[in-house]
Amino acid sequence: MAERKKKDRDFEKLADSVKLTKPGATRAPARLKARVYSALMLAEAAHGKLRDMAETKKAGRELCAFEELVRMAPVNRKLKSANICRLCHARVLAEMLEKPPIYWPHCPYAEFKKG
Amino acid sequence: MTAPGTRPEPEPDPLLPARPAREQDERLADAVLARDRKATAEFVARYTDRIYSYICSCLAPNTGHAEDLVQEVFLAAWKGLSSFQGESTLEAWLLGIARHKIQDYYRVRLREPEPLDDDFAEREEIILMPEQERQMDERRMRERTLRVLAELPEQYRLVLQWRYWEKCPALEMAERTGKSEKAIERLLARARDQFRRKWQDG
């Protein structure tokens, strides 16, 4: 029992003195953030309608150019709540590339690559 | 001194996050629960680095499953977000979920049959860190530890990380894996022995 505790203590000391990751936080890859966001949007959309574009804007959050177009267009409410990122090439690029060539403002996928 | 007619400010609870941070967290959680796409993007942007960093530290040196686990943490968080009461920061709450995911990961892998190690006899002497190795700089110690861990069979590596880096008691590991405490102690002894051998060889 005492011997086992001693062996435990050796390894406890080692674990206390050696952190297995480099000091400082490890940055997550941008494409991981894109994948996580896409997965969450799918889960949220499966659970019910997403908050529509107008309400999102009213809550003080900026829309990307495409979302803004959908917000202003004379289309039904269902489309204004749709997960339109699903149809956007920015999502596909961001899920596959660490630095996707997408630059328009307020696109979450473009924001993720900034870190 | 409190002005007449006003209530004295209550002493802040040191265990609770500061009020502005708590309010910010609760607002963000509410917006995500309302399925606000931009709030969801903020949620991901704000916390993915921290969760990824934590998961990598638990899986290092083999971080191949880290990205899948991060995604599982966020999906579990979305499912359970309505239970978030602001009793801790959102980051601490997410780290709690990540910790459970890591324990599940260890548990599933430790349930698999143990690797064969016929010439096992745990060494009596303490050979882990002679004085000169203690003085090794932190970076070299870390590299050596990672290399030795990477060379171990997966079960040995995970059982050591769970027990010593995650500080999980052997009894709790036994309960979670459905093994006896003796079986876990045996597995730990084999893992420690192989670690020591490889440490000496290196």
Side-chain angles (χ1 to χ4, degrees):
Chain A
M1 186 71 169
E3 183 61 31
R4 199 182 71 198
K5 280 193 171 165
K6 190 162 173 45
K7 285 168 183 166
D8 259 353
R9 271 202 304 274
D10 283 345
F11 275 83
E12 281 163 5
K13 267 192 222 166
L14 178 71
D16 285 342
S17 61
V18 177
K19 300 289 162 236
L20 295 181
T21 44
K22 287 176 187 164
T26 310
R27 288 274 290 275
R31 55 180 168 67
L32 171 62
K33 291 178 186 171
R35 273 178 41 204
V36 169
Y37 176 64
S38 300
L40 281 176
M41 293 313 294
L42 277 179
E44 290 180 21
H47 197 262
K49 276 198 298 187
L50 298 180
R51 182 178 266 182
D52 78 33
M53 314 288 182
E55 285 170 29
T56 299
K57 190 156 183 173
K58 213 167 136 187
R61 297 180 185 273
E62 299 288 348
L63 302 175
C64 81
F66 299 109
E67 289 165 334
E68 196 62 60
L69 270 176
V70 174
R71 185 186 69 85
M72 291 186 300
V75 293
N76 66 28
R77 267 187 80 87
K78 199 175 166 191
L79 192 59
K80 287 178 190 284
S81 298
N83 178 11
I84 62 165
C85 290
R86 204 69 210 149
L87 311 172
C88 184
H89 68 291
R91 176 187 64 79
V92 181
L93 288 170
E95 285 178 14
M96 300 182 63
L97 304 172
E98 197 50 29
K99 288 186 178 165
I102 43 178
Y103 304 99
W104 40 84
H106 312 305
C107 163
Y109 293 104
E111 300 291 326
F112 292 144
K113 75 174 177 180
K114 292 180 192 162
Chain B
M1 190 77 170
T2 311
T6 60
R7 266 193 316 168
E9 204 46 35
E11 283 291 311
D13 183 339
L15 295 175
L16 283 174
R19 192 184 293 166
R22 199 184 338 161
E23 285 170 0
Q24 204 181 22
D25 280 356
E26 281 172 357
R27 264 202 309 274
L28 181 60
D30 287 345
V32 174
L33 277 172
R35 297 187 290 279
D36 181 310
R37 64 198 79 211
K38 300 297 176 176
T40 304
E42 185 186 335
F43 183 56
V44 172
R46 205 191 281 183
Y47 298 113
T48 308
D49 285 340
R50 184 70 188 92
I51 301 303
Y52 180 73
S53 181
Y54 169 71
I55 287 178
C56 283
S57 74
C58 297
L59 299 185
N62 294 359
T63 55
H65 290 97
E67 295 192 10
D68 290 340
L69 284 171
V70 171
Q71 189 163 322
E72 282 180 30
V73 169
F74 276 92
L75 287 172
W78 153 248
K79 281 184 192 151
L81 199 56
S82 53
S83 69
F84 175 70
Q85 302 289 327
E87 285 147 359
S88 62
T89 61
L90 205 41
E91 180 178 286
W93 184 76
L94 281 167
L95 282 169
I97 296 174
R99 195 176 162 81
H100 278 110
K101 289 285 171 196
I102 285 289
Q103 287 180 344
D104 281 349
Y105 178 86
Y106 289 154
R107 181 175 53 79
V108 168
R109 272 148 188 87
L110 292 184
R111 273 185 181 165
E112 289 162 10
E114 291 173 29
L116 291 173
D117 188 8
D118 291 338
D119 64 340
F120 166 69
E122 191 170 18
R123 297 167 186 211
E124 294 297 314
E125 74 272 32
I126 303 304
I127 55 173
L128 187 60
M129 286 198 295
E131 201 49 42
Q132 66 189 67
E133 286 177 359
R134 276 184 206 284
Q135 290 166 2
M136 243 195 243
D137 67 74
E138 206 175 303
R139 183 182 58 80
R140 281 176 55 215
M141 275 289 277
R142 190 182 144 266
E143 281 169 5
R144 188 164 176 183
T145 306
L146 284 173
R147 186 179 46 71
V148 171
L149 284 172
E151 286 171 7
L152 293 179
E154 187 184 39
Q155 285 205 336
Y156 289 173
R157 178 169 53 80
L158 293 179
V159 80
L160 290 176
Q161 285 179 264
W162 197 5
R163 173 70 189 88
Y164 299 110
W165 274 270
E166 286 296 297
K167 304 192 188 309
C168 186
L171 181 62
E172 192 181 327
M173 291 165 74
E175 283 165 1
R176 286 178 181 270
T177 53
K179 294 186 177 202
S180 66
E181 191 181 359
K182 250 193 169 152
I184 291 291
E185 288 293 358
R186 231 179 4 249
L187 184 62
L188 273 167
R190 286 168 187 267
R192 281 192 302 254
D193 181 60
Q194 274 222 11
F195 186 97
R196 284 190 169 96
R197 283 167 200 248
K198 289 183 187 295
W199 185 274
Q200 272 198 327
D201 293 347

